[in-house]
Amino acid sequence: MFEKSSPSTVKMPLFRLKTVFPLIALVSIGVFFWCMERYDRTAFIRFKNPIDRVNLATSNTPNLDPSSQATLDTASNTCENYTRAYFRPRHVNPDAEFHTLEDIEKPVLPPMVQMERGMVVSPVNKQESFICPEIIDVDVAADDDVEETSKLLFGLATTVDRLDRLLPSLLYTYGNTKAGLIVLVPESDDDLEKQETYFRNRGLDLTLIASPLDFTARYFGMVEAFIEHIRKHRPHTTWVGFSDDDTFFLSLPTIAKELKLFDEKKKHYIGSLSEASWQVDTFGHIAFGGAGVFVSKPLLDVLWKYYDECQSWGEQPGDQKLGQCIQRFGDTPLTLWPSLYQMDMTDPVDGVYESGRKIESMHHWNSWYSKDVVKMTTVAAAAGRKSVLRRWVFDQEEIVDPSSGEKVRHFWVLTNGYSLVKYTYGKNVPDDAINFDATEKTWPEDPRGFEERLGPLRPAENEGIAKDRWLLSNAYVVGDNVHQFYVREEDEGHSVIEIVWLGPKGGGGGGISDHYIQGTKQQ
């Protein structure tokens, strides 16, 4: 009925479209990963040859190799100027004291050379431009022993998220010490035990406590938390510290050592006022919490006795409630600790950091103004914590201005971990035109509100004086050494000054091993 048709031969295409596209995709992916592998290999080879280091075993004079390269995040544009100097800390007795501005008589900074994009030495430089700088030896007080910190217990009222964001600064302050830290956080469904383990594994002796109290009440709520924690876990505690999560202590062992000057068996309320007089007028003669507040155990016991009454007073700031409770029931006056800084001011705050003042705590560094305190204190890995913000003056020279034929004087001031400033004095400017014992007023607020705490201020600008500032941009630990990069923005790019701190062999920048041998202090 139906005719059977003869089969016809149909030629299939060599490549079908739905086969071609997957093949193209696979080839593209393969090429991509091959390129990435080559790129990573090249980058790894460069990483294996970082900034050239000084071999102290073979030479006392470092080589400034024209072919050396330094990776710098901020040097994305052509960098016209670059130089490098080497400092070597000589650790002395931890109790050693220094002038606020120490003089270095040897030449420090070699002439600048021209750099191209990516911090590559330009071939236009002449060979004689490369001068091997002499290593500069400077005396630095060794770090204090951490043993006394075991008697300290600190408390914060914050959130777990903020703790995580501020972890690097918290590790510098509390890590590698024996101080305890309790943190009151809002109640939530989070696994506090797991979160606590996270922070403990990173180096903090930290206890998280969920609290139903509002933030301001939680600050004073640390009184109850302190009492309970001391009873259960740290009966040897002699001092408790009320702090904010962005309170930054430069050396907790030094804080503990200085607290030993007080009789721990008596009631003590210790802290500092705000630098801004209107803050004191508003909140009273209290220890401001951001700078750090210290209460002895006997006074803590009194606060616990009246805890419920003081906590019921309202929603004023926690440090104000603490101060008012002590004033009413503690019968203990405030002992001022002037080297603790609340830092109630806004950017630029260069004048305070460059003042040469003894600064043992700072606050508001990531809110009212912006300063990377972790980068600032990186130098402690090579030179110790007591080297941070130390000031040195050097390269004081008198030269003839070729354009005018007049004599001008210039010199440099290093504030370690913060800035390098070049001062140039014009004709007829007296040597004492700048009082370096006075704080330079760089912040915008009315200076009259700060003079009571900071003393007479000096102006940021002086007639006949030019001032060029290189601010710390980055700092890296390379082996035993720390490389600091101070950067100045200029019209055609960046000017970079690298300061290399040569740490002791094997690390231990605080110099503790030089002064504490088997528990015996070496004079």
Short mmCIF file of all heavy atoms in Angstrom, two decimals, residues 2 29 44 88 102 176 240 244 345 358 396-397 413 438 447 456 462:
data_model
loop_
_atom_site.label_atom_id
_atom_site.label_comp_id
_atom_site.label_asym_id
_atom_site.label_seq_id
_atom_site.Cartn_x
_atom_site.Cartn_y
_atom_site.Cartn_z
N PHE A 2 1.86 1.17 0.78
CA PHE A 2 2.81 2.30 0.80
C PHE A 2 4.08 1.89 0.12
O PHE A 2 4.58 0.78 0.32
CB PHE A 2 3.12 2.70 2.24
CG PHE A 2 1.91 3.20 2.97
CD1 PHE A 2 1.21 2.38 3.84
CD2 PHE A 2 1.46 4.49 2.77
CE1 PHE A 2 0.10 2.83 4.51
CE2 PHE A 2 0.34 4.94 3.45
CZ PHE A 2 -0.34 4.11 4.32
N ILE A 29 38.19 29.77 28.47
CA ILE A 29 38.47 29.57 29.90
C ILE A 29 39.89 29.06 30.10
O ILE A 29 40.62 29.50 30.99
CB ILE A 29 37.45 28.60 30.51
CG1 ILE A 29 36.05 29.25 30.53
CG2 ILE A 29 37.86 28.19 31.93
CD1 ILE A 29 34.94 28.29 30.94
N PHE A 44 54.72 36.48 41.77
CA PHE A 44 55.36 35.76 42.87
C PHE A 44 56.87 35.94 42.83
O PHE A 44 57.52 36.10 43.86
CB PHE A 44 55.00 34.28 42.79
CG PHE A 44 55.60 33.46 43.90
CD1 PHE A 44 55.15 33.62 45.20
CD2 PHE A 44 56.61 32.55 43.65
CE1 PHE A 44 55.70 32.87 46.23
CE2 PHE A 44 57.16 31.81 44.67
CZ PHE A 44 56.70 31.97 45.96
N ARG A 88 68.68 52.66 63.27
CA ARG A 88 68.86 51.44 64.06
C ARG A 88 68.65 51.79 65.53
O ARG A 88 69.41 52.58 66.10
CB ARG A 88 70.25 50.85 63.85
CG ARG A 88 70.50 49.55 64.64
CD ARG A 88 71.76 48.85 64.14
NE ARG A 88 72.90 49.76 64.10
CZ ARG A 88 73.97 49.55 63.33
NH1 ARG A 88 74.03 48.49 62.55
NH2 ARG A 88 74.98 50.42 63.34
N GLU A 102 64.93 65.35 69.98
CA GLU A 102 66.32 64.90 70.07
C GLU A 102 67.08 65.26 68.80
O GLU A 102 66.54 65.15 67.68
CB GLU A 102 66.37 63.38 70.28
CG GLU A 102 65.83 62.93 71.63
CD GLU A 102 66.85 63.10 72.75
OE1 GLU A 102 68.06 62.91 72.49
OE2 GLU A 102 66.44 63.43 73.87
N ASN A 176 49.12 40.17 73.19
CA ASN A 176 50.47 39.99 73.73
C ASN A 176 50.64 40.64 75.10
O ASN A 176 51.74 41.06 75.47
CB ASN A 176 51.53 40.53 72.76
CG ASN A 176 51.56 39.76 71.46
OD1 ASN A 176 51.45 38.54 71.46
ND2 ASN A 176 51.68 40.47 70.35
N VAL A 240 40.46 48.11 87.26
CA VAL A 240 39.58 47.91 86.11
C VAL A 240 39.64 49.17 85.25
O VAL A 240 39.79 50.29 85.76
CB VAL A 240 38.12 47.61 86.53
CG1 VAL A 240 38.05 46.29 87.27
CG2 VAL A 240 37.53 48.74 87.36
N ASP A 244 36.39 52.92 75.55
CA ASP A 244 35.59 52.78 74.34
C ASP A 244 36.26 51.76 73.43
O ASP A 244 37.45 51.46 73.60
CB ASP A 244 35.46 54.13 73.63
CG ASP A 244 34.55 55.09 74.38
OD1 ASP A 244 33.96 54.67 75.40
OD2 ASP A 244 34.45 56.26 73.96
N MET A 345 38.55 66.67 68.83
CA MET A 345 38.86 67.65 67.79
C MET A 345 38.76 66.96 66.44
O MET A 345 38.72 65.73 66.36
CB MET A 345 40.26 68.24 68.00
CG MET A 345 41.36 67.20 68.03
SD MET A 345 42.96 67.86 68.56
CE MET A 345 42.66 68.17 70.29
N LYS A 358 54.00 63.39 75.60
CA LYS A 358 53.84 61.98 75.96
C LYS A 358 52.37 61.62 75.75
O LYS A 358 51.49 62.14 76.42
CB LYS A 358 54.25 61.75 77.41
CG LYS A 358 54.21 60.28 77.83
CD LYS A 358 54.68 60.12 79.27
CE LYS A 358 54.70 58.65 79.69
NZ LYS A 358 55.17 58.48 81.08
N GLN A 396 70.40 69.86 59.66
CA GLN A 396 70.30 71.31 59.80
C GLN A 396 71.41 71.95 58.97
O GLN A 396 72.59 71.78 59.25
CB GLN A 396 70.43 71.71 61.27
CG GLN A 396 69.40 71.01 62.17
CD GLN A 396 69.52 71.40 63.62
OE1 GLN A 396 69.40 72.58 63.96
NE2 GLN A 396 69.75 70.42 64.49
N GLU A 397 71.01 72.68 57.95
CA GLU A 397 71.97 73.23 57.00
C GLU A 397 71.63 74.68 56.68
O GLU A 397 70.48 75.11 56.76
CB GLU A 397 71.97 72.42 55.69
CG GLU A 397 72.44 70.98 55.85
CD GLU A 397 72.39 70.24 54.53
OE1 GLU A 397 71.46 70.48 53.73
OE2 GLU A 397 73.30 69.43 54.29
N VAL A 413 62.31 67.43 60.77
CA VAL A 413 61.83 66.85 62.02
C VAL A 413 61.05 65.58 61.70
O VAL A 413 60.08 65.61 60.93
CB VAL A 413 60.94 67.84 62.81
CG1 VAL A 413 60.36 67.14 64.04
CG2 VAL A 413 61.74 69.07 63.23
N ALA A 438 55.71 73.98 72.17
CA ALA A 438 54.28 74.31 72.12
C ALA A 438 53.61 73.47 71.03
O ALA A 438 54.22 73.12 70.02
CB ALA A 438 54.09 75.79 71.84
N PRO A 447 40.83 77.89 69.10
CA PRO A 447 41.97 77.50 69.94
C PRO A 447 41.78 77.82 71.42
O PRO A 447 42.37 77.16 72.28
CB PRO A 447 43.13 78.31 69.34
CG PRO A 447 42.49 79.47 68.66
CD PRO A 447 41.19 78.94 68.13
N PRO A 456 49.64 77.05 75.87
CA PRO A 456 49.69 77.99 74.74
C PRO A 456 49.99 77.27 73.43
O PRO A 456 50.89 76.42 73.37
CB PRO A 456 50.83 78.94 75.13
CG PRO A 456 50.94 78.82 76.62
CD PRO A 456 50.59 77.39 76.94
N ASN A 462 53.95 80.49 59.85
CA ASN A 462 54.83 81.54 60.36
C ASN A 462 55.41 82.31 59.18
O ASN A 462 55.86 81.71 58.20
CB ASN A 462 55.97 80.95 61.19
CG ASN A 462 55.47 80.17 62.40
OD1 ASN A 462 55.11 79.01 62.30
ND2 ASN A 462 55.46 80.82 63.55
#
